[in-house]
Amino acid sequence: MSIKRALVSVSDKQGIVDFCRELSALGVEIISTGGTSTLLAKEGVPVIGISDVTGFPEIMDGRVKTLHPAVHSGLLAVRDNEEHTRQMTELGLGYIDLVVVNLYPFAETIAKPDVSYEEAIENIDIGGPTMLRSAAKNHAFVSVVVDAADYESVLEEVRAGGDTTLETRKRLAAKVFRHTAAYDALIADYLANVTGEPLPERYTVTYEKIQDLRYGENPHQKAAFYRKPLAAQDTLTAAEQLHGKELSYNNINDANAALQIVKEFEEPAVVAVKHMNPCGVGVGTSVYEAYQKAYNADPTSIFGGIVAANRIIDADTANLLKDIFLEIILAPGFTEEALEILTKKKNIRLLKIGNLSAAAARKSSFVVTSIEGGMVVQESDVHSVNADDLQVVTDRKPTEEELKQLLFGWKVVKHVKSNAIVLAADDMTVGVGAGQMNRVGAAKIAIEQAADKAKGAVLASDAFFPMGDTLEMAAKAGITAVIQPGGSIKDEESIKVANEYGIAMVFTGVRHFKH
């Protein structure tokens, strides 16, 4: 076997001229279509038009050109099948040994903010996937290339032996089916959203690999980092790493958790995260002040953690950050002076990310969580409240300052693993109780962490109190106001306890379980 004829039709023409010129020099006949054929001819590469092979013109603005027996017989014929060989000879058909195709730029088309539905549909490739699938199915005899990164390795094998190895053809065929599956998944997702079916009977997703990771959650687990096509610029997958070691699996999860919290705030905010829970959150008039509050919230747990800021890191803030061991600092940018300070620390990872505003955070999307044998899909929790949404249920109304701290605490507790309790005062967290099996246990942890700072603080709970015991504990610690969803059959018991201790309590009507 040897490669004698190649069919080339590409939308992304990077590297295609040099590839085809080399193939031609090796004695391979090049068949091509449309713009690819025009480009090759212009560059002096001998090329045969597809119409010369099919005996039929390209019609309907190029919609129909390769969907023809003269093409697909040459791709699908089993070369060691006598009947196939006889039919090819009788019909005067020629084999095609190599297919080089990449598809209409559907992803790039729908990424345009002003794209029309008609334009999107027109950029759904039909002939390209059909040729790819035909060639990939018949990879025992046909080589198929869908990725320009494979041009050189294919050329090396053709130079050495006239053909690719079966092992290479299998690898290339597998890549083709991954590629066409991803292409179709993106189209399916686009049309599902257009037709208002975000959770259809079949949920297809596709992701592109960013990098292999050294290991997963633990060293014995393999892992890789992927992103969705067209991911927003304010997501971790779009971050630019400016300095430091490669991200690890745990780094990625922690950084994403920090990112989701910091996007809740319009004012300058800094979030410190450890094991996907916030250990310190602060807001201030500047990133410098916000970081001081986040650090002072829990100076112990921040060690070895992740810090995210929603403002550019300046030199003064960098001088504080350099004094402790941090895995990652994530921000919209770093001043030159800040970079000079922080890059002196060899291993710290510095990530630059897009617009980190509360408005961006409230854009709804869908979250996919894997379970053994399947997955569950839900809308992301982008719900937010303001003062007008709150129902005061106690005799005493919260003061203006208490109301400010309650809303701050509510933004944070939403992102803490349930059962969750957050204590807040002076625009910072002073106690966080996360992931406990009962709410009293979460409150106890938060109050013990806050110590004397609990007096005069407010308390946020991600879900309702099933009884009044948490309020009793809060009152004894000196907490003055509480925000919670409400909705328990024992709400009146909690309200009674709050009134007895003069605590102001408000209901949001919405819970924020996070598992």
Side-chain angles (χ1 to χ4, degrees):
M1 289 176 58
S2 63
I3 293 177
K4 297 176 182 176
R5 294 174 91 212
L7 174 54
V8 182
S9 179
V10 292
S11 293
D12 180 359
K13 295 175 174 57
Q14 181 180 359
I16 195 62
V17 172
D18 290 340
F19 181 61
C20 288
R21 182 176 285 119
E22 179 75 9
L23 285 175
S24 182
L26 292 168
V28 178
E29 185 178 75
I30 308 292
I31 303 166
S32 192
T33 67
T36 308
S37 178
T38 301
L39 174 65
L40 294 176
K42 180 182 176 183
E43 294 295 329
V45 178
V47 62
I48 298 171
I50 192 69
S51 296
D52 294 328
V53 174
T54 63
F56 202 88
E58 297 185 24
I59 61 172
M60 300 176 184
D61 300 315
R63 281 189 167 205
V64 180
K65 51 193 173 188
T66 59
L67 298 171
H68 193 280
V71 172
H72 288 277
S73 297
L75 295 176
L76 286 166
V78 177
R79 311 294 172 85
D80 56 7
N81 182 304
E82 290 184 5
E83 181 60 21
H84 287 198
T85 302
R86 182 188 64 78
Q87 290 179 22
M88 291 288 289
T89 301
E90 285 184 0
L91 296 171
L93 300 172
Y95 297 111
I96 298 172
D97 311 301
L98 170 65
V99 169
V100 185
V101 168
N102 56 55
L103 306 178
Y104 291 174
F106 183 79
E108 292 82 354
T109 299
I110 63 173
K112 295 188 293 188
D114 57 347
V115 65
S116 67
Y117 177 74
E118 290 73 21
E119 185 180 1
I121 297 304
E122 194 59 33
N123 276 277
I124 297 175
D125 203 328
I126 302 301
T130 307
M131 288 189 290
L132 287 173
R133 290 173 61 86
S134 293
K137 175 177 180 176
N138 204 26
H139 64 265
F141 307 100
V142 180
S143 302
V144 56
V145 181
V146 75
D147 184 353
D150 293 311
Y151 289 171
E152 185 54 39
S153 61
V154 168
L155 283 174
E156 286 179 5
E157 292 193 15
V158 177
R159 290 189 201 108
D163 198 0
T164 58
T165 65
L166 179 58
E167 181 181 0
T168 294
R169 293 195 295 277
K170 285 181 179 178
R171 177 179 62 80
L172 294 173
K175 182 179 277 192
V176 162
F177 284 115
R178 290 195 299 271
H179 183 79
T180 56
Y183 192 79
D184 285 341
L186 195 59
I187 296 168
D189 183 62
Y190 172 79
L191 290 173
N193 286 313
V194 166
T195 56
E197 299 176 285
L199 294 171
E201 76 287 348
R202 283 183 173 81
Y203 193 82
T204 52
V205 293
T206 182
Y207 296 88
E208 303 161 345
K209 185 185 283 189
I210 298 174
Q211 67 188 75
D212 288 308
L213 301 175
R214 287 176 295 159
Y215 52 80
E217 199 166 8
N218 297 291
H220 62 277
Q221 295 168 270
K222 291 182 180 179
F225 186 21
Y226 290 83
R227 69 169 153 248
K228 286 187 70 174
L230 313 179
Q233 291 303 302
D234 63 345
T235 59
L236 190 64
T237 57
E240 177 187 359
Q241 185 165 350
L242 304 178
H243 178 72
K245 298 187 297 184
E246 284 189 351
L247 296 173
S248 71
Y249 178 94
N250 293 330
N251 288 158
I252 291 165
N253 281 293
D254 285 342
N256 184 62
L259 178 60
Q260 301 315 309
I261 303 170
V262 83
K263 287 198 293 187
E264 291 282 348
F265 298 96
E266 291 287 359
E267 60 269 53
V270 171
V271 175
V273 161
K274 200 75 170 288
H275 301 303
M276 294 182 67
N277 278 305
C279 55
V281 180
V283 299
T285 58
S286 66
V287 70
Y288 180 81
E289 182 185 356
Y291 172 72
Q292 287 180 308
K293 290 181 177 182
Y295 174 82
N296 289 327
D298 189 347
T300 301
S301 297
I302 195 174
F303 183 85
I306 310 290
V307 167
N310 64 356
R311 295 292 191 278
I312 292 173
I313 301 294
D314 56 24
D316 290 340
T317 309
N319 275 317
L320 295 179
L321 289 162
K322 74 175 176 57
D323 288 338
I324 62 170
F325 167 58
L326 295 170
E327 291 277 2
I328 295 174
I329 302 171
L330 185 155
F334 301 79
T335 66
E336 288 186 17
E337 294 85 355
L339 277 175
E340 185 177 350
I341 292 164
L342 293 170
T343 53
K344 289 178 182 177
K345 304 190 77 168
K346 180 180 178 181
N347 292 328
I348 193 169
R349 301 155 176 94
L350 304 180
L351 300 182
K352 179 182 177 182
I353 200 160
N355 177 31
L356 302 185
S357 71
R362 285 192 287 271
K363 291 178 182 176
S364 183
S365 60
F366 283 85
V367 179
V368 177
T369 303
S370 296
I371 62 168
E372 187 172 1
M375 65 182 185
V376 289
V377 182
Q378 68 169 347
E379 284 185 311
S380 54
D381 187 357
V382 297
H383 187 275
S384 62
V385 299
N386 57 45
D388 294 335
D389 300 318
L390 303 178
Q391 178 190 3
V392 179
V393 295
T394 50
D395 296 337
R396 186 174 78 80
K397 294 182 179 180
T399 66
E400 187 174 335
E401 179 60 23
E402 285 173 333
L403 186 58
K404 179 184 177 185
Q405 301 308 316
L406 288 170
L407 291 171
F408 170 86
W410 188 248
K411 289 178 180 179
V412 177
V413 79
K414 166 184 173 181
H415 297 276
V416 179
K417 297 288 187 181
S418 302
N419 286 318
I421 297 289
V422 167
L423 305 188
D426 301 321
D427 300 328
M428 60 186 281
T429 55
V430 295
V432 178
Q436 298 306 300
M437 286 65 71
N438 62 73
R439 199 153 298 281
V440 176
K444 182 179 179 181
I445 290 171
I447 290 168
E448 286 179 351
Q449 182 190 352
D452 294 341
K453 293 178 183 178
K455 190 171 184 179
V458 305
L459 181 151
S461 173
D462 65 335
F464 62 62
F465 301 131
M467 53 193 69
D469 48 5
T470 304
L471 265 297
E472 289 274 0
M473 186 183 298
K476 291 174 183 177
I479 288 162
T480 64
V482 170
I483 186 169
Q484 59 133 318
S488 169
I489 60 173
K490 293 190 176 181
D491 276 346
E492 288 304 321
E493 181 180 332
S494 295
I495 295 169
K496 180 181 177 183
V497 173
N499 282 331
E500 286 176 1
Y501 289 97
I503 292 174
M505 186 160 66
V506 298
F507 285 178
T508 65
V510 175
R511 82 171 188 211
H512 285 302
F513 274 158
K514 184 176 179 64
H515 289 85

